[in-house]
Amino acid sequence: MLVGERMSAPVITVEPKTTISEALMLFREKRIRRAPVIAHHRLVGIVAERDLLFASPSPITSLSVWELNYLLSKLTVDEVMTHEVITVAEDTPIEEAARIMADKRVGGLPVMRGHDVVGIITETDLFKILLELMSVREHGVRVTALLDDYPGMLARLSTAVFQANGNFISFGQFNKEDGARLITFKISGLSLDQVKATIAPVVKQVFDIREV
């Protein structure tokens, strides 16, 4: 799965001289939390909702409503945006985009095609992908277990499920510890008791098993 397949497009952008109040109105109208900043068809920054909110005067200020509105009418996006923007290309693997966002502690990445911004990939997009990967909206028996980290162990597990007439509808491998891998999977076509009996000879330890 590549970024270009899951990015939000067309992307909503703002200009450097857009006022803070105008940008906030746009964010609320479009229900977005960040936007690339474009000048002369080129990416010059990115602004997040928190940047706009932090730029607003405090509610406990002694300024009058008219003075507040005047200040906000003068403050523009280019005064609060992030100038050094981390970007990705359309053909970036989705897991690489997730790694960059986690390592750099950013909530979204503009997606580039050459010098053009063609989309944005955000943490919300990643959450949606996680829901799909774990088949959250499909009924089945969900298992979290330790599996010995030896060649052929996954094949043994899948063969056991197949022979019991079960079907994997999601599967994920997580951290490795003491020669074993933590795995989470969901199976359809079998009852809870049938799954327990099927995987018992194969897995090292079951941490959680439930119908969902």
Side-chain angles (χ1 to χ4, degrees):
M1 186 181 297
L2 305 179
V3 165
E5 301 172 59
R6 304 310 298 259
M7 67 184 184
S8 297
V11 63
I12 298 168
T13 64
V14 294
E15 297 179 351
K17 294 306 178 183
T18 302
T19 65
I20 298 298
S21 56
E22 289 173 336
L24 279 171
M25 288 178 60
L26 177 67
F27 276 37
R28 289 164 184 164
E29 177 188 346
K30 301 298 184 180
R31 297 183 180 181
I32 59 174
R33 287 183 289 179
R34 59 191 54 80
V37 184
I38 305 295
H40 307 295
H41 307 290
R42 290 291 183 266
L43 179 68
V44 295
I46 189 169
V47 66
E49 184 179 38
R50 65 176 181 272
D51 300 323
L52 303 174
L53 293 173
F54 288 162
S56 303
S58 167
I60 62 173
T61 180
S62 60
L63 294 174
S64 68
V65 173
W66 295 276
E67 289 171 319
L68 291 177
N69 288 335
Y70 176 78
L71 287 175
L72 286 178
S73 70
K74 298 299 181 183
L75 195 60
T76 55
V77 164
D78 59 348
E79 298 178 69
V80 299
M81 70 182 186
T82 298
H83 292 267
E84 296 183 7
V85 189
I86 303 169
T87 66
V88 290
E90 294 172 278
D91 60 355
T92 302
I94 200 72
E95 64 271 21
E96 175 64 9
R99 182 197 65 77
I100 294 171
M101 291 166 66
D103 290 350
K104 301 298 183 180
R105 298 182 180 181
V106 295
L109 302 169
V111 183
M112 308 297 294
R113 183 186 300 155
H115 294 293
D116 298 325
V117 179
V118 293
I120 187 168
I121 188 81
T122 69
E123 55 197 3
T124 300
D125 298 317
L126 299 181
F127 290 150
K128 291 178 180 178
I129 293 169
L130 177 62
L131 292 177
E132 291 180 25
L133 288 175
M134 301 310 297
S135 298
V136 171
R137 294 185 171 87
E138 294 187 56
H139 179 74
V141 177
R142 181 185 185 278
V143 181
T144 300
L146 276 180
L147 187 69
D148 284 323
D149 190 26
Y150 301 131
M153 291 304 295
L154 285 178
R156 284 186 58 191
L157 176 62
S158 61
T159 298
V161 171
F162 169 74
Q163 291 176 343
N165 293 318
N167 182 46
F168 283 102
I169 55 178
S170 70
F171 194 98
Q173 295 188 64
F174 298 93
N175 56 309
K176 178 180 177 181
E177 49 182 74
D178 299 326
R181 286 190 178 275
L182 183 65
I183 59 174
T184 296
F185 55 90
K186 187 183 287 187
I187 294 173
S188 65
L190 299 175
S191 69
L192 181 64
D193 289 337
Q194 288 175 320
V195 172
K196 285 181 179 179
T198 298
I199 68 173
V202 184
V203 301
K204 184 175 183 179
Q205 181 181 355
V206 175
F207 289 112
D208 181 74
I209 182 168
R210 66 182 75 185
E211 287 192 37
V212 292

